[in-house]
Amino acid sequence: MIVPIMGNVFYSITLDPTVWIFDDRKILLSDAFSDKGRNSAEVDDLELASQRFNREVFDVKMNRPPVNRSISKLEGETILKNSYVMPLHDFIKNAEVKASATHAILVSDEVETEISIADLENGYFLFAIDGKPIKENGPVHFFYQDGSNKDKPLTNIKQIIIH
């Protein structure tokens, strides 16, 4: 199931949480609300930029095609045992929220919850429990960055509307 971001944005985009398990930006749920989770995301961004730079500079000179890194068997087993969240910053940035936007509404089956753009941008979507997509009360659950709703996340998020 996809989650569209629409409304007061330059680009309406759709999120597909079912493929995030392979995304390097994912964070372990247990690390998300600690400094470790936030710092690892920053380090990962730096590491990824470094890898892209090295690939561009060195692979082009050696005339080799770029090769995507495979997931080892151990990494695959680890992925299937953990729960993960995805930081929303990059997705909100890609949608390019208009300057006139004041808030966001997270639409679920039961209720529409209004939150600030900053809270949305800094928040997390829980998308996998024990390595599997969320079927019940899914496709994603929303957590504030500070973990204030860690015990009671916003569930059944089906759509994000920027106002």
Side-chain angles (χ1 to χ4, degrees):
M1 175 169 287
I2 60 171
V3 179
I5 298 176
M6 59 180 57
N8 201 2
V9 293
F10 285 103
Y11 304 103
S12 293
I13 62 173
T14 55
L15 308 178
D16 185 356
T18 61
V19 298
W20 289 346
I21 199 76
F22 302 108
D23 195 311
D24 292 331
R25 297 172 290 186
K26 70 183 177 292
I27 299 172
L28 284 169
L29 176 61
S30 57
D31 294 342
F33 306 111
S34 67
D35 289 336
K36 181 180 177 183
R38 289 184 207 115
N39 291 340
S40 69
E42 293 171 9
V43 171
D44 288 344
D45 287 343
L46 182 60
E47 184 178 324
L48 290 173
S50 173
Q51 288 173 359
R52 280 193 301 270
F53 175 80
N54 288 338
R55 190 170 41 240
E56 290 294 323
V57 171
F58 297 116
D59 287 350
V60 171
K61 288 183 179 179
M62 293 180 185
N63 205 14
R64 286 188 286 161
V67 178
N68 291 334
R69 184 180 73 83
S70 299
I71 297 175
S72 71
K73 183 177 180 178
L74 179 61
E75 287 175 314
E77 290 173 2
T78 302
I79 286 173
L80 295 177
K81 293 179 183 175
N82 292 304
S83 298
Y84 295 97
V85 295
M86 179 64 73
L88 295 176
H89 178 270
D90 291 339
F91 302 111
I92 304 306
K93 183 179 169 188
N94 287 342
E96 293 187 20
V97 175
K98 294 180 181 176
S100 60
T102 58
H103 63 278
I105 295 181
L106 301 177
V107 179
S108 69
D109 292 336
E110 303 88 32
V111 67
E112 294 183 357
T113 306
E114 183 177 316
I115 64 172
S116 71
I117 302 292
D119 283 342
L120 177 65
E121 190 172 346
N122 294 319
Y124 301 109
F125 269 166
L126 174 70
F127 66 92
I129 298 175
D130 298 329
K132 295 177 178 60
I134 300 173
K135 300 248 188 246
E136 187 175 323
N137 296 327
V140 291
H141 300 177
F142 178 80
F143 290 101
Y144 291 101
Q145 182 181 27
D146 63 4
S148 60
N149 68 333
K150 186 165 65 169
D151 296 329
K152 189 156 175 54
L154 301 173
T155 60
N156 291 336
I157 306 299
K158 309 278 190 222
Q159 186 177 30
I160 301 169
I161 303 172
I162 308 294
H163 285 281

